[in-house]
Amino acid sequence: MDFIEILKIIFYGIVEGITEWLPVSSTGHLILFESFWPLQQNEEFMEMFRVVIQLGAILAVCVLYFHRLNPFSREHSLAEKNQIIGIWGKVIIGCIPAGVLGILFNDFFDTYFYRWPIVAFTLILYGVLFIVIENRNKNQHPRVRSFQQMTYPMAFLIGICQVLSLIPGTSRSGSTILGAMFFGVSRSVAAEFSFFMAIPVMFGASFLKLVKHGLAFSAPELICLFLGMLVAFVVSLAAIRFLMDYIKKKDFKVFGYYRIALGVLVVVYFAVKALMTA
């Protein structure tokens, strides 16, 4: 594997580490970057790589929130342990829709929806929705400011919103955060709930992709996977901290504007590319 290919992998890991947690769609970015700076791997491997590289990002959540999500820590009181168990209960309930529908329809969405027009459309649509919901909530106080105030039915409804992330370009975190805010959840709780739900969802999705692809990796493929995950892990540590600090002071509208601009860029890029090859 040459130096340029290693640079590409590092770049992909950086993109994944940032865009997995910011509600801007990691898929939307990857489909754009793959079009003009592709890795020298076959499409079957790339289909698996796009998902499994996210394991590095998920491990960052596990590290940053290990104490917060560990009900067996001796440092927690009995009440705190019960609260953590409650968080996990809501995470599991919230993951049921994506878990069931993801298993049933994952290949369908990969086959028929992984297209740049759909990615561009969902980037712009969700960008508009972020702006609309933030404007709607501007003079309202969130009804849910802690995980204790979140009900199990609400967690399930937010999980249904997460199912929309099966459509490329929507953003898993974006779908979850938008759904949570629509139901009156504060920005910080919505963001953290999206982080926590990513743990079982992405571990499950990665497992399915690895089983489908098989474990007979070549040496370049192993380097590609592990280097990509390592870079995504390191960058995710910074991206998660940035997002949580950012939303303490500001809203999500800037991400809405960014999504709209990126969606337009995707349309322009592929339209020009089609004209040049016509």
Side-chain angles (χ1 to χ4, degrees), residues 129-147:
L129 288 175
F130 265 112
I131 296 168
V132 169
I133 289 180
E134 282 288 11
N135 286 336
R136 186 202 69 170
N137 293 350
K138 185 175 182 180
N139 297 316
Q140 299 179 13
H141 294 289
R143 294 183 291 107
V144 177
R145 299 184 181 184
S146 69
F147 283 99

Side-chain angles (χ1 to χ4, degrees), residues 10-32:
I10 293 173
F11 180 74
Y12 276 56
I14 292 172
V15 172
E16 168 58 31
I18 295 173
T19 59
E20 181 61 36
W21 306 115
L22 306 186
V24 294
S25 176
S26 58
T27 303
H29 287 77
L30 289 176
I31 194 174
L32 183 61

Side-chain angles (χ1 to χ4, degrees), residues 4 7 13 22 28 32 35 41-42 44 46 63 72 79 88 92 105 110 125-126 129 145 147 164 199 211 278:
I4 296 299
L7 281 180
L22 306 186
L32 183 61
S35 67
Q41 302 288 346
N42 60 57
E44 181 184 356
M46 288 305 301
V63 169
F72 306 108
W88 277 113
I92 292 170
F105 296 106
D110 278 349
L125 175 63
Y126 272 60
L129 288 175
R145 299 184 181 184
F147 283 99
L164 295 173
I199 297 173
V211 169

